[in-house]
Every structure is written in structure tokens, then in C-alpha cells.
């Protein structure tokens, strides 16, 4: 059995840094893992480990922009369409890595997760090739500084989950930037950086949004026109508590261990397979997606 972890999340959430940390951790525990770069715009020296499979060997954003005159976002769409049309290339690259664990570092364009069909199609193809998949979605801890920004992050995580429909883990990255030990250290706007408050973000408490207006700070006071919308979002999150976050502090070795064991558990890594015919996995399991 082969396994693939999609490392997803908005721009700058720490996906590449996390992918590297996972590689280091797996290698230290004598497990083989391969890095896959799925970002056609990644700079070559951004990787501590050189990727075993690199989309840039197939197509690079730079070439698409220079030769076809696309901008960066249209260029990304072109690259993914090209990848999907050339999945035999990916399959060939994958062929060399039986019984392995792939860490797939994805690009940071949020639309890739929320509504484009590329990643779901890519995942289905991997599943057909017998690769067991899961996704981690990283949101950086700075999102907890503003509850409105935070809930927009929660909603983006939700729509990405709905779009991809694979086993899923949300991660609050860069927790080393949050102290969480004192009552309200100087950096903690709105007093969020206390342990109790952090817990309300990791298990999102919709009541954070329901507090009265005027508590957002002077620069951006709550607009009463959005009160009803906030109420509706509170209700949505309350009725569908799909999103909670595992904290990730890369300065703490235990933290990455906990996150990794959650990933292993989610993908049922190493567990004997169910006696299922391969063709059962083909159409039936994905029929609801169409
Ligand atoms: N303090 C802190 N900084 C981090 C951590 N992880 C990443 N960073 C920093 O955040 C920035 C972005 O990190 P990347 O790993 O490149 O993020 P990414 O999600 O791969 O970014 P894109 O691929 O551009 O979307 C870099 O400056 C990192 O050094 C972390 O755990 N703690
Ligand atoms: Mg990256």
C-alpha cells in the first residue's frame, strides 16, 4: 500500500516548512518518505530535501508565463490542467516508489482548495492507482489575532474539506508565535492569547462571533449590517462542527509527533487492508462527488 499526505492551506501557512519537518521526523524514525512538489512556482532552493517527484520536471509556471503569456494565476490553472492531461507521467514517476509514504507539498492559491476541480480529480486518480490519501490543511496562528479573519479561515477550511472529500486534519501552524502562558501578554490583541482563549479557537467556539459590536479595535469596528450574517455563520458552525485544529509547534518535537500520529491514524497507516475488490473503489465510492 502506498500513502500520500496532501499538505494544503493558504499562502504562507507553513506548508513547505511542515513538509520538510515531517520528512526529517520520518527519516529520524527510520521510515522512508518521499517529498512530492506540486507547486509549479516553487523556487529550486526552497527545498531542504530534493523532491522525488517534482511537477516542475513536467511543467513550470515560469515557462508557461514566458512562453504562453499567462499571468501567475492563469498560469497555475494551465499547469494543473496540463498535469491532469499527463497523469501517465505522474504514474511513471510514482511507479518507482512502492510501499511508500508521499508528502505532497501543494501551492498556496486558496482557490485551488475551495472550488477548482483539479485536486479532487488528482486525488481520485491517485486512489485508483492504489494510493491511500489524506489531507492536512494548515492555517497559521496569526489567524487567531482577529476573530473575523479566523472565521473566514474556518470557512475556507470547511469549503476545502467539502471540495476534496478525503480524510482530513486541520492544523493551527506556527504555534511557537503564540505564547499562551500568561494572562494577556502585550502582543495579544483582544486578549486572545491566553490558554482558555486559544482553546476556543482550536475547537472553534461560534460564540466568539456572537459578541456585541465595537470590540474589533478602532481600525475596524463591527458593522451592524453584518450582524445577521454573523448570526447565520454562528448557526452554521454550531450545526456543523466540522472543523477543529491540532496545534503545531515545530520548536517542540512532541508536537510534530502528535500531528504525525494523527495523520497515520487518519490514513490507517500500516493497518491490514479490508478485503475489498479494487473495482469497488473505482466508481461507487466517488459516485456522490459528481
Ligand atoms: N515562526 C514560525 N515561522 C514559520 C513556521 N513555519 C513556517 N514559517 C515561516 O513562514 C513563512 C512561510 O513558510 P512556508 O513553509 O514557505 O509556507 P508555505 O505555506 O509553503 O508558503 P507557499 O508555498 O508560498 O504558500 C516562512 O518565512 C517560514 O520561515 C513555524 O512553524 N513558525
Ligand atoms: Mg510552499
Amino acid at each position: 500500500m502506498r500513502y500520500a499526505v496532501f499538505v494544503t492551506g493558504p499562502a504562507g501557512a507553513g506548508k513547505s516548512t511542515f513538509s520538510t519537518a515531517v520528512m526529517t521526523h520520518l527519516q529520524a524514525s527510520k521510515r522512508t518518505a518521499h517529498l512530492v512538489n506540486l507547486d509549479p512556482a516553487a523556487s529550486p532552493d526552497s527545498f531542504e530535501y530534493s523532491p522525488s517527484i517534482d511537477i516542475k520536471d513536467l511543467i513550470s509556471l515560469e515557462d508557461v508565463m514566458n512562453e504562453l503569456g499567462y499571468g501567475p494565476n492563469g498560469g497555475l490553472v494551465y499547469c494543473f490542467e496540463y498535469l491532469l492531461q499527463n497523469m501517465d507521467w505522474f504514474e511513471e514517476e510514482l511507479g518507482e516508489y512502492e510501499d511508500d509514504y508521499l508528502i505532497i507539498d501543494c501551492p498556496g492559491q486558496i482557490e485551488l482548495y475551495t472550488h477548482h476541480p483539479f485536486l479532487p480529480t488528482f486525488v481520485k486518480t491517485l486512489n485508483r492507482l492504489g494510493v491511500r490519501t489524506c489531507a492536512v490543511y494548515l492555517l497559521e496562528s496569526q489567524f487567531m489575532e482577529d476573530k473575523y479573519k479566523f472565521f473566514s479561515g474556518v470557512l475556507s477550511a470547511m469549503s476545502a474539506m467539502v471540495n476534496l472529500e478525503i480524510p482530513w486534519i486541520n492544523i493551527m501552524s506556527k504555534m511557537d508565535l503564540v505564547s499562551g502562558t500568561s494572562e494577556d501578554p502585550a502582543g495579544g490583541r483582544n486578549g486572545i492569547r491566553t490558554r482558555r482563549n486559544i482553546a476556543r479557537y482550536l475547537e472553534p467556539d461560534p460564540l466568539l462571533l456572537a459578541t456585541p459590536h465595537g470590540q474589533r479595535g478602532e481600525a475596524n469596528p463591527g458593522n451592524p449590517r453584518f450582524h445577521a450574517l454573523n448570526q447565520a455563520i454562528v448557526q452554521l458552525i454550531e450545526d456543523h462542527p466540522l472543523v477543529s485544529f491540532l496545534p503545531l509547534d515545530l520548536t517542540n518535537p512532541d508536537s510534530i509527533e502528535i500531528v504525525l500520529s494523527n495523520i497515520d491514524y487518519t490514513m490507517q497507516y500500516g493497518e491490514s487492508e479490508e478485503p475489498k475488490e479494487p473495482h469497488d473503489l473505482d466508481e461507487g465510492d466517488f459516485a456522490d462527488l459528481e
Side-chain angles (χ1 to χ4, degrees), residues 89-280:
W89 168 83
F90 194 89
E91 197 175 340
E92 212 167 282
E93 297 278 305
L94 190 66
E96 300 162 33
Y97 305 106
E98 277 294 332
D99 285 327
D100 268 333
Y101 206 91
L102 307 177
I103 310 297
I104 306 186
D105 187 6
C106 297
Q109 278 85 348
I110 187 83
E111 62 272 24
L112 201 58
Y113 309 114
T114 52
H115 61 273
H116 278 179
F118 309 127
L119 278 183
T121 310
F122 186 69
V123 164
K124 276 189 221 172
T125 311
L126 284 193
N127 291 150
R128 263 187 220 120
L129 295 172
V131 182
R132 206 177 269 182
T133 48
C134 87
V136 296
Y137 189 86
L138 272 63
L139 204 64
E140 56 186 327
S141 60
Q142 286 96 324
F143 272 75
M144 298 193 295
E145 281 176 358
D146 178 314
K147 57 192 180 181
Y148 296 89
K149 178 175 166 181
F150 173 73
F151 277 98
S152 96
V154 169
L155 293 176
S156 72
M158 271 176 148
S159 70
M161 286 166 85
V162 170
N163 189 30
L164 263 183
E165 290 205 310
I166 55 175
W168 194 269
I169 296 174
N170 293 298
I171 292 176
M172 189 60 70
S173 64
K174 309 189 190 179
M175 285 301 285
D176 55 298
L177 300 177
V178 178
S179 74
T181 46
S182 58
E183 268 317 296
D184 182 15
R189 265 202 285 151
N190 301 340
I192 62 143
R193 293 186 179 189
T194 62
R195 273 185 206 286
R196 194 176 71 81
N197 271 323
I198 286 169
R200 293 180 75 191
Y201 285 83
L202 297 178
E203 292 286 341
D205 177 357
L207 291 179
L208 282 169
L209 268 189
T211 44
H213 304 299
Q215 298 191 0
R216 283 195 74 183
E218 285 143 35
N220 201 359
N223 183 336
R225 284 177 61 202
F226 293 121
H227 187 67
L229 177 62
N230 282 341
Q231 286 303 321
I233 294 173
V234 166
Q235 200 61 47
L236 174 76
I237 294 168
E238 214 157 47
D239 293 347
H240 305 280
L242 291 170
V243 176
S244 64
F245 294 90
L246 267 179
L248 172 71
D249 178 353
L250 289 179
T251 61
N252 175 359
D254 290 345
S255 176
I256 181 127
E257 178 63 37
I258 291 169
V259 168
L260 251 175
S261 53
N262 273 273
I263 293 174
D264 284 345
Y265 180 76
T266 303
M267 278 200 299
Q268 299 171 294
Y269 171 74
E271 283 178 25
S272 62
E273 285 171 57
E274 308 219 347
K276 214 172 183 186
E277 291 297 317
H279 66 255
D280 287 349

